[in-house]
Every structure is written in structure tokens, then in C-alpha cells.
CSV table of all heavy atoms in Angstrom, one decimal:
chain,number,residue,atom,x,y,z
E,32,GLY,N,-28.6,140.7,-54.4
E,32,GLY,CA,-27.4,140.4,-53.7
E,32,GLY,C,-26.3,140.0,-54.7
E,32,GLY,O,-25.1,140.0,-54.3
E,33,THR,N,-26.6,139.6,-55.9
E,33,THR,CA,-25.6,139.1,-56.8
E,33,THR,C,-25.0,140.2,-57.6
E,33,THR,O,-25.7,141.2,-58.0
E,33,THR,CB,-26.3,138.1,-57.8
E,33,THR,OG1,-26.9,137.0,-57.1
E,33,THR,CG2,-25.3,137.5,-58.8
E,34,SER,N,-23.7,140.2,-57.9
E,34,SER,CA,-23.0,141.2,-58.7
E,34,SER,C,-22.7,140.6,-60.0
E,34,SER,O,-22.8,139.4,-60.3
E,34,SER,CB,-21.8,141.7,-57.9
E,34,SER,OG,-20.9,140.6,-57.6
E,35,GLY,N,-22.2,141.5,-60.9
E,35,GLY,CA,-21.7,141.0,-62.2
E,35,GLY,C,-22.4,141.5,-63.4
E,35,GLY,O,-23.1,142.5,-63.4
E,36,VAL,N,-22.2,140.8,-64.5
E,36,VAL,CA,-22.6,141.2,-65.9
E,36,VAL,C,-24.2,141.2,-66.0
E,36,VAL,O,-24.8,140.1,-65.7
E,36,VAL,CB,-22.1,140.3,-67.0
E,36,VAL,CG1,-22.5,140.8,-68.3
E,36,VAL,CG2,-20.5,140.2,-66.9
E,37,LEU,N,-24.7,142.3,-66.4
E,37,LEU,CA,-26.2,142.4,-66.6
E,37,LEU,C,-26.4,143.1,-67.9
E,37,LEU,O,-25.7,144.2,-68.2
E,37,LEU,CB,-26.8,143.2,-65.4
E,37,LEU,CG,-28.3,143.2,-65.3
E,37,LEU,CD1,-28.9,141.8,-65.2
E,37,LEU,CD2,-28.8,144.0,-64.1
E,38,LEU,N,-27.2,142.6,-68.8
E,38,LEU,CA,-27.3,143.0,-70.1
E,38,LEU,C,-28.7,143.7,-70.4
E,38,LEU,O,-29.7,143.2,-70.0
E,38,LEU,CB,-27.2,141.8,-71.1
E,38,LEU,CG,-27.1,142.1,-72.6
E,38,LEU,CD1,-25.9,142.9,-72.9
E,38,LEU,CD2,-27.2,140.7,-73.3
E,39,ALA,N,-28.6,144.8,-71.1
E,39,ALA,CA,-29.8,145.6,-71.5
E,39,ALA,C,-29.8,145.9,-73.0
E,39,ALA,O,-28.7,146.0,-73.6
E,39,ALA,CB,-30.0,146.9,-70.8
E,40,ALA,N,-30.9,145.9,-73.7
E,40,ALA,CA,-31.0,146.3,-75.1
E,40,ALA,C,-31.4,147.8,-75.2
E,40,ALA,O,-32.0,148.4,-74.4
E,40,ALA,CB,-32.1,145.5,-75.7
E,41,ARG,N,-30.9,148.4,-76.3
E,41,ARG,CA,-31.2,149.8,-76.6
E,41,ARG,C,-32.4,149.9,-77.6
E,41,ARG,O,-32.9,151.0,-77.8
E,41,ARG,CB,-30.0,150.5,-77.2
E,41,ARG,CG,-28.8,150.5,-76.2
E,41,ARG,CD,-27.6,151.2,-76.8
E,41,ARG,NE,-27.5,152.5,-76.3
E,41,ARG,CZ,-26.3,153.1,-75.9
E,41,ARG,NH1,-25.2,152.4,-76.1
E,41,ARG,NH2,-26.3,154.3,-75.5
E,42,THR,N,-32.7,148.8,-78.3
E,42,THR,CA,-33.8,148.9,-79.2
E,42,THR,C,-34.8,147.7,-79.0
E,42,THR,O,-34.4,146.7,-78.4
E,42,THR,CB,-33.3,148.8,-80.7
E,42,THR,OG1,-32.8,147.4,-80.9
E,42,THR,CG2,-32.2,149.8,-81.0
E,43,ARG,N,-36.0,147.8,-79.4
E,43,ARG,CA,-37.0,146.8,-79.2
E,43,ARG,C,-36.6,145.5,-80.0
E,43,ARG,O,-36.8,144.4,-79.5
E,43,ARG,CB,-38.4,147.2,-79.5
E,43,ARG,CG,-39.5,146.2,-79.2
E,43,ARG,CD,-40.8,146.9,-79.3
E,43,ARG,NE,-41.1,147.7,-78.1
E,43,ARG,CZ,-41.5,147.3,-76.9
E,43,ARG,NH1,-41.7,146.0,-76.7
E,43,ARG,NH2,-41.7,148.2,-76.0
E,44,ASP,N,-36.1,145.7,-81.2
E,44,ASP,CA,-35.7,144.5,-82.0
E,44,ASP,C,-34.6,143.7,-81.3
E,44,ASP,O,-34.6,142.5,-81.2
E,44,ASP,CB,-35.2,144.9,-83.4
E,44,ASP,CG,-36.4,145.3,-84.3
E,44,ASP,OD1,-37.6,145.0,-83.9
E,44,ASP,OD2,-36.2,145.9,-85.3
E,45,ALA,N,-33.6,144.4,-80.8
E,45,ALA,CA,-32.5,143.8,-80.1
E,45,ALA,C,-33.0,143.1,-78.8
E,45,ALA,O,-32.5,142.0,-78.5
E,45,ALA,CB,-31.4,144.8,-79.7
E,46,TRP,N,-33.9,143.7,-78.1
E,46,TRP,CA,-34.5,143.1,-76.9
E,46,TRP,C,-35.2,141.8,-77.2
E,46,TRP,O,-35.0,140.8,-76.5
E,46,TRP,CB,-35.4,144.1,-76.3
E,46,TRP,CG,-36.0,143.6,-75.0
E,46,TRP,CD1,-35.5,143.7,-73.7
E,46,TRP,CD2,-37.3,143.0,-74.8
E,46,TRP,NE1,-36.3,143.2,-72.8
E,46,TRP,CE2,-37.5,142.7,-73.4
E,46,TRP,CE3,-38.3,142.6,-75.6
E,46,TRP,CZ2,-38.6,142.1,-72.9
E,46,TRP,CZ3,-39.5,142.0,-75.1
E,46,TRP,CH2,-39.6,141.7,-73.7
E,47,ALA,N,-36.0,141.8,-78.3
E,47,ALA,CA,-36.7,140.6,-78.7
E,47,ALA,C,-35.8,139.5,-79.1
E,47,ALA,O,-35.9,138.3,-78.7
E,47,ALA,CB,-37.7,140.9,-79.8
E,48,LEU,N,-34.7,139.8,-79.8
E,48,LEU,CA,-33.8,138.8,-80.3
E,48,LEU,C,-33.0,138.2,-79.1
E,48,LEU,O,-32.7,137.0,-79.0
E,48,LEU,CB,-32.8,139.4,-81.3
E,48,LEU,CG,-33.4,139.7,-82.7
E,48,LEU,CD1,-32.5,140.5,-83.5
E,48,LEU,CD2,-33.8,138.3,-83.4
E,49,LEU,N,-32.6,139.1,-78.2
E,49,LEU,CA,-31.8,138.6,-77.0
E,49,LEU,C,-32.7,137.8,-76.1
E,49,LEU,O,-32.2,136.8,-75.5
E,49,LEU,CB,-31.2,139.8,-76.3
E,49,LEU,CG,-30.1,140.5,-77.0
E,49,LEU,CD1,-29.7,141.9,-76.4
E,49,LEU,CD2,-28.8,139.6,-77.0
E,50,ARG,N,-33.9,138.2,-75.9
E,50,ARG,CA,-34.8,137.5,-75.0
E,50,ARG,C,-35.1,136.1,-75.6
E,50,ARG,O,-35.2,135.1,-74.8
E,50,ARG,CB,-36.2,138.2,-74.9
E,50,ARG,CG,-36.1,139.4,-74.0
E,50,ARG,CD,-35.9,139.0,-72.5
E,50,ARG,NE,-37.0,138.2,-72.1
E,50,ARG,CZ,-36.9,137.3,-71.0
E,50,ARG,NH1,-35.7,137.2,-70.4
E,50,ARG,NH2,-37.9,136.6,-70.7
E,51,GLU,N,-35.1,136.0,-76.9
E,51,GLU,CA,-35.3,134.7,-77.5
E,51,GLU,C,-34.1,133.8,-77.3
E,51,GLU,O,-34.2,132.6,-77.1
E,51,GLU,CB,-35.5,134.8,-79.0
E,51,GLU,CG,-35.7,133.5,-79.8
E,51,GLU,CD,-37.0,132.8,-79.4
E,51,GLU,OE1,-37.8,133.3,-78.7
E,51,GLU,OE2,-37.1,131.6,-79.9
E,52,GLN,N,-32.9,134.3,-77.3
E,52,GLN,CA,-31.7,133.6,-77.0
E,52,GLN,C,-31.7,133.0,-75.5
E,52,GLN,O,-31.3,131.9,-75.3
E,52,GLN,CB,-30.4,134.4,-77.1
E,52,GLN,CG,-30.1,134.7,-78.6
E,52,GLN,CD,-28.8,135.5,-78.7
E,52,GLN,OE1,-27.8,135.2,-78.1
E,52,GLN,NE2,-28.8,136.5,-79.5
E,53,PHE,N,-32.2,133.8,-74.6
E,53,PHE,CA,-32.3,133.3,-73.2
E,53,PHE,C,-33.4,132.3,-73.1
E,53,PHE,O,-33.2,131.2,-72.5
E,53,PHE,CB,-32.7,134.5,-72.3
E,53,PHE,CG,-31.5,135.3,-71.8
E,53,PHE,CD1,-31.1,136.4,-72.6
E,53,PHE,CD2,-30.8,135.0,-70.7
E,53,PHE,CE1,-30.0,137.1,-72.2
E,53,PHE,CE2,-29.7,135.7,-70.2
E,53,PHE,CZ,-29.3,136.8,-71.0
E,54,ARG,N,-34.5,132.5,-73.9
E,54,ARG,CA,-35.6,131.5,-73.8
E,54,ARG,C,-35.2,130.1,-74.4
E,54,ARG,O,-35.6,129.1,-73.8
E,54,ARG,CB,-36.8,132.0,-74.6
E,54,ARG,CG,-38.1,131.2,-74.4
E,54,ARG,CD,-39.2,131.6,-75.3
E,54,ARG,NE,-38.9,131.3,-76.7
E,54,ARG,CZ,-39.1,130.1,-77.3
E,54,ARG,NH1,-39.6,129.1,-76.6
E,54,ARG,NH2,-38.8,129.9,-78.5
E,55,THR,N,-34.4,130.2,-75.4
E,55,THR,CA,-34.0,128.9,-76.1
E,55,THR,C,-32.6,128.4,-75.6
E,55,THR,O,-32.0,127.5,-76.2
E,55,THR,CB,-33.9,129.1,-77.6
E,55,THR,OG1,-33.1,130.2,-77.9
E,55,THR,CG2,-35.3,129.4,-78.1
E,56,ARG,N,-32.1,129.0,-74.5
E,56,ARG,CA,-30.9,128.5,-73.8
E,56,ARG,C,-29.7,128.6,-74.7
E,56,ARG,O,-28.8,127.7,-74.7
E,56,ARG,CB,-31.1,127.1,-73.3
E,56,ARG,CG,-32.3,126.9,-72.3
E,56,ARG,CD,-32.4,125.5,-71.8
E,56,ARG,NE,-33.7,125.4,-71.0
E,56,ARG,CZ,-34.1,124.3,-70.5
E,56,ARG,NH1,-33.4,123.2,-70.7
E,56,ARG,NH2,-35.2,124.2,-69.8
E,57,GLN,N,-29.5,129.6,-75.5
E,57,GLN,CA,-28.4,129.8,-76.3
E,57,GLN,C,-27.3,130.7,-75.7
E,57,GLN,O,-26.3,131.0,-76.2
E,57,GLN,CB,-28.8,130.5,-77.6
E,57,GLN,CG,-29.8,129.7,-78.5
E,57,GLN,CD,-30.1,130.4,-79.7
E,57,GLN,OE1,-29.3,130.8,-80.5
E,57,GLN,NE2,-31.4,130.6,-79.9
E,58,VAL,N,-27.6,131.2,-74.5
E,58,VAL,CA,-26.7,132.1,-73.8
E,58,VAL,C,-25.8,131.4,-72.8
E,58,VAL,O,-26.3,130.5,-72.1
E,58,VAL,CB,-27.6,133.2,-73.0
E,58,VAL,CG1,-26.6,134.1,-72.2
E,58,VAL,CG2,-28.4,134.0,-74.0
E,59,GLY,N,-24.5,131.7,-72.8
E,59,GLY,CA,-23.6,131.1,-71.9
E,59,GLY,C,-23.5,132.0,-70.6
E,59,GLY,O,-23.3,133.2,-70.7
E,60,LYS,N,-23.8,131.4,-69.4
E,60,LYS,CA,-23.8,132.2,-68.2
E,60,LYS,C,-22.9,131.5,-67.2
E,60,LYS,O,-23.1,130.4,-66.8
E,60,LYS,CB,-25.3,132.2,-67.6
E,60,LYS,CG,-26.2,133.0,-68.5
E,60,LYS,CD,-27.7,132.9,-68.0
E,60,LYS,CE,-28.3,131.6,-68.4
E,60,LYS,NZ,-29.8,131.6,-68.1
E,61,ARG,N,-21.8,132.3,-66.8
E,61,ARG,CA,-20.8,131.7,-65.9
E,61,ARG,C,-20.7,132.6,-64.7
E,61,ARG,O,-20.8,133.8,-64.8
E,61,ARG,CB,-19.5,131.7,-66.6
E,61,ARG,CG,-18.4,131.1,-65.8
E,61,ARG,CD,-17.2,130.8,-66.6
E,61,ARG,NE,-17.5,129.7,-67.6
E,61,ARG,CZ,-16.6,129.1,-68.4
E,61,ARG,NH1,-15.3,129.5,-68.4
E,61,ARG,NH2,-16.9,128.1,-69.2
E,62,TYR,N,-20.7,131.9,-63.5
E,62,TYR,CA,-20.6,132.6,-62.2
E,62,TYR,C,-19.4,132.1,-61.4
E,62,TYR,O,-18.9,131.0,-61.7
E,62,TYR,CB,-21.9,132.4,-61.4
E,62,TYR,CG,-23.2,132.9,-62.0
E,62,TYR,CD1,-23.8,132.3,-63.1
E,62,TYR,CD2,-23.8,134.1,-61.5
E,62,TYR,CE1,-24.9,132.8,-63.7
E,62,TYR,CE2,-25.0,134.6,-62.0
E,62,TYR,CZ,-25.5,134.0,-63.1
E,62,TYR,OH,-26.7,134.5,-63.6
E,63,VAL,N,-19.1,132.9,-60.4
E,63,VAL,CA,-18.1,132.4,-59.4
E,63,VAL,C,-18.8,132.6,-58.0
E,63,VAL,O,-19.5,133.6,-57.8
E,63,VAL,CB,-16.8,133.1,-59.4
E,63,VAL,CG1,-16.0,132.9,-58.2
E,63,VAL,CG2,-16.0,132.8,-60.7
E,64,ALA,N,-18.7,131.6,-57.2
E,64,ALA,CA,-19.4,131.7,-55.9
E,64,ALA,C,-18.4,131.2,-54.8
E,64,ALA,O,-17.6,130.3,-55.0
E,64,ALA,CB,-20.6,130.8,-55.8
E,65,LEU,N,-18.5,131.8,-53.6
E,65,LEU,CA,-17.8,131.3,-52.4
E,65,LEU,C,-18.8,130.6,-51.6
E,65,LEU,O,-19.8,131.2,-51.2
E,65,LEU,CB,-17.2,132.5,-51.7
E,65,LEU,CG,-16.3,132.1,-50.5
E,65,LEU,CD1,-15.1,131.2,-50.9
E,65,LEU,CD2,-15.7,133.4,-49.9
E,66,VAL,N,-18.6,129.3,-51.4
E,66,VAL,CA,-19.7,128.4,-50.7
E,66,VAL,C,-19.1,127.8,-49.4
E,66,VAL,O,-17.9,127.7,-49.2
E,66,VAL,CB,-20.1,127.3,-51.7
E,66,VAL,CG1,-20.7,127.9,-52.9
E,66,VAL,CG2,-19.0,126.4,-52.0
E,67,ASP,N,-20.1,127.4,-48.6
E,67,ASP,CA,-19.8,126.7,-47.4
E,67,ASP,C,-19.2,125.3,-47.7
E,67,ASP,O,-19.6,124.7,-48.6
E,67,ASP,CB,-21.1,126.5,-46.6
E,67,ASP,CG,-21.4,127.6,-45.6
E,67,ASP,OD1,-20.4,128.2,-45.0
E,67,ASP,OD2,-22.6,128.0,-45.5
E,68,GLY,N,-18.2,124.9,-46.8
E,68,GLY,CA,-17.7,123.5,-46.9
E,68,GLY,C,-16.7,123.4,-48.0
E,68,GLY,O,-16.3,124.3,-48.7
E,69,VAL,N,-16.2,122.1,-48.1
E,69,VAL,CA,-15.1,121.8,-49.0
E,69,VAL,C,-15.7,121.1,-50.2
E,69,VAL,O,-16.3,120.0,-50.1
E,69,VAL,CB,-14.0,120.9,-48.3
E,69,VAL,CG1,-12.9,120.5,-49.3
E,69,VAL,CG2,-13.4,121.6,-47.1
């Protein structure tokens, strides 16, 4: 149900390096949400 930026690698080396960034929390992830209440 979520829309927005989704990232894929074109090579196995790039995939491994990017996965490591996610694992070690080096990736900045920003979202916008419309939520209930004030």
C-alpha cells in the first residue's frame, strides 16, 4: 500500500554494498504520512 522511492541494484556487487548500508543503518529514509487526529 505504500508508494514512493524503491531502490534496486543492477549488479551483485552493488546489491551487496547497498544491502550492507541498510543493515548498518547508513541509509536516510524519509516518508510523509496522513494520519488520524491532530
